[in-house]
Amino acid sequence: MDSTDVQKHLMDVLTTIQAISGETCPTLDPTIKPAEELPKFNSKVWPVAAGMLGAALGKAIPPEVNIFVDDATKQALTIAQTVALVCTLVEQLNAQAAVAAA
């Protein structure tokens, strides 16, 4: 999965969610931490954003995976870190699908 495409789709999703929520959206760049820096972008919204991103990428992101906060450290992830996580996740899902198909 190309990280540039993932980043573009993620930024589109974040912008859309903020617009739908009636909230302002700062200029997005890879250093922004959506969980901390986007108004009202919280744990109730994160799964929706992950689902929208998965739909845009044509890959289902498992609902139990939080792509906006590190599970181990509980630290908010930057857009760049989220992109890297999603790329790794998609690679893992593709590998599992290949094994299942074999």
Side-chain angles (χ1 to χ4, degrees):
M1 173 105 348
D2 181 64
S3 62
T4 304
D5 288 338
V6 174
Q7 181 172 304
K8 179 201 173 303
H9 287 298
L10 177 58
M11 289 183 173
D12 289 346
V13 165
L14 295 173
T15 301
T16 299
I17 285 180
Q18 290 306 103
I20 291 170
S21 301
E23 298 295 331
T24 60
C25 188
T27 301
L28 299 176
D29 68 61
T31 66
I32 294 282
K33 293 181 178 182
E36 291 179 352
E37 299 178 51
L38 297 183
K40 296 186 182 176
F41 190 80
N42 56 38
S43 61
K44 293 180 182 182
V45 179
W46 300 339
V48 175
M52 290 172 66
L53 178 60
L57 297 173
K59 300 287 180 183
I61 296 173
E64 67 275 7
V65 177
N66 185 343
I67 62 172
F68 299 103
V69 175
D70 183 283
D71 284 336
T73 65
K74 305 301 181 209
Q75 296 295 311
L77 300 175
T78 65
I79 287 175
Q81 291 170 316
T82 295
V83 167
L85 175 61
V86 169
C87 288
T88 300
L89 181 62
V90 168
E91 287 174 13
Q92 290 171 351
L93 293 172
N94 287 342
Q96 290 172 357
V99 169

